[in-house]
Amino acid sequence: GQNIDQPTEMTATEGAIVQINCTYQTSGFNGLFWYQQHAGEAPTFLSYNVLDGLEEKGRFSSFLSRSKGYSYLLLKELQMKDSASYLCAVMDSNYQLIWGAGTKLIIKP
Amino acid sequence: GAVVSQHPSRVICKSGTSVKIECRSLDFQATTMFWYRQFPKKSLMLMATSNEGSKATYEQGVEKDKFLINHASLTLSTLTVTSAHPEDSSFYICSARMGTADEKLFFGSGTQLSVL
């Protein structure tokens, strides 16, 4: 079956760095997405990885290893507004999105 | 965990025809369902929010007569794209929520609509 695993919840301190991991087993692979979602709002696109390696975009970076079925989202210089859920989603060979359950990130002062 | 089933996964239609997309919550009752549209590498754009038994609330700029939403039961919502045109080609995703606004959203796998 198809599966996306990510931690349920993480806690980090303002100003610090946090890494949210995502592992996947899917029928084929056509890219991995990371989204940020604040409660009651639509998810916001953060990154899209289809090739191995690290993509950096400001304070956020996303890494992909297709051979390991693994990705992580790295958030630097954490701010209180970064408290949100972070969703990992993989597009399979049929171009269907398989969603992880999301990681709730709590930022403490 | 909770499962949201969305069908069809892909649909190709001729311009001017209507297409219906279904979103079902398989193991929970969804008091609220949401419909999104995704453009490549862009954010999910919320189109409308539907509550069971009442009319959907559409986001600004979304034509309610073109995108008909029906939430007839606690486990099913449908999005009908009426008189589809090529510019309606997109990836449509639904999500469902059990209860209040701070409860988790569960997402469908999406529908790729291609209008020729």
mmCIF file of all heavy atoms in Angstrom, chain B residues 17 36 44 66 68 110:
data_model
loop_
_atom_site.group_PDB
_atom_site.id
_atom_site.type_symbol
_atom_site.label_atom_id
_atom_site.label_comp_id
_atom_site.label_asym_id
_atom_site.label_seq_id
_atom_site.Cartn_x
_atom_site.Cartn_y
_atom_site.Cartn_z
ATOM 1 N N THR B 17 -19.010 20.740 -21.902
ATOM 2 C CA THR B 17 -19.658 19.683 -21.126
ATOM 3 C C THR B 17 -19.497 19.961 -19.629
ATOM 4 O O THR B 17 -18.709 20.816 -19.225
ATOM 5 C CB THR B 17 -19.092 18.302 -21.455
ATOM 6 O OG1 THR B 17 -17.680 18.296 -21.155
ATOM 7 C CG2 THR B 17 -19.289 17.980 -22.924
ATOM 8 N N TYR B 36 -10.652 22.821 -3.329
ATOM 9 C CA TYR B 36 -9.499 23.631 -3.697
ATOM 10 C C TYR B 36 -9.174 23.397 -5.167
ATOM 11 O O TYR B 36 -9.496 22.365 -5.745
ATOM 12 C CB TYR B 36 -8.258 23.221 -2.895
ATOM 13 C CG TYR B 36 -8.415 23.161 -1.409
ATOM 14 C CD1 TYR B 36 -8.842 21.996 -0.795
ATOM 15 C CD2 TYR B 36 -8.101 24.250 -0.602
ATOM 16 C CE1 TYR B 36 -8.962 21.906 0.581
ATOM 17 C CE2 TYR B 36 -8.215 24.166 0.775
ATOM 18 C CZ TYR B 36 -8.641 22.991 1.352
ATOM 19 O OH TYR B 36 -8.755 22.913 2.714
ATOM 20 N N LEU B 44 -2.558 25.693 -2.779
ATOM 21 C CA LEU B 44 -3.939 25.288 -2.974
ATOM 22 C C LEU B 44 -4.801 26.531 -2.842
ATOM 23 O O LEU B 44 -4.678 27.272 -1.881
ATOM 24 C CB LEU B 44 -4.360 24.271 -1.915
ATOM 25 C CG LEU B 44 -3.644 22.932 -1.936
ATOM 26 C CD1 LEU B 44 -4.213 22.041 -0.842
ATOM 27 C CD2 LEU B 44 -3.782 22.263 -3.277
ATOM 28 N N LYS B 66 -20.826 28.385 -11.955
ATOM 29 C CA LYS B 66 -19.960 27.538 -12.771
ATOM 30 C C LYS B 66 -19.481 26.336 -11.964
ATOM 31 O O LYS B 66 -19.374 25.239 -12.494
ATOM 32 C CB LYS B 66 -18.760 28.340 -13.247
ATOM 33 C CG LYS B 66 -17.799 27.511 -14.081
ATOM 34 C CD LYS B 66 -16.884 28.374 -14.866
ATOM 35 C CE LYS B 66 -16.134 27.516 -15.859
ATOM 36 N NZ LYS B 66 -17.020 26.941 -16.872
ATOM 37 N N LEU B 68 -20.637 24.237 -9.151
ATOM 38 C CA LEU B 68 -21.773 23.894 -8.284
ATOM 39 C C LEU B 68 -21.326 22.892 -7.231
ATOM 40 O O LEU B 68 -20.780 21.845 -7.545
ATOM 41 C CB LEU B 68 -22.905 23.291 -9.124
ATOM 42 C CG LEU B 68 -23.500 24.188 -10.216
ATOM 43 C CD1 LEU B 68 -24.576 23.437 -10.985
ATOM 44 C CD2 LEU B 68 -24.042 25.475 -9.625
ATOM 45 N N GLY B 110 -7.195 14.073 -5.129
ATOM 46 C CA GLY B 110 -7.209 15.031 -6.223
ATOM 47 C C GLY B 110 -7.821 14.496 -7.505
ATOM 48 O O GLY B 110 -7.894 13.287 -7.740
#
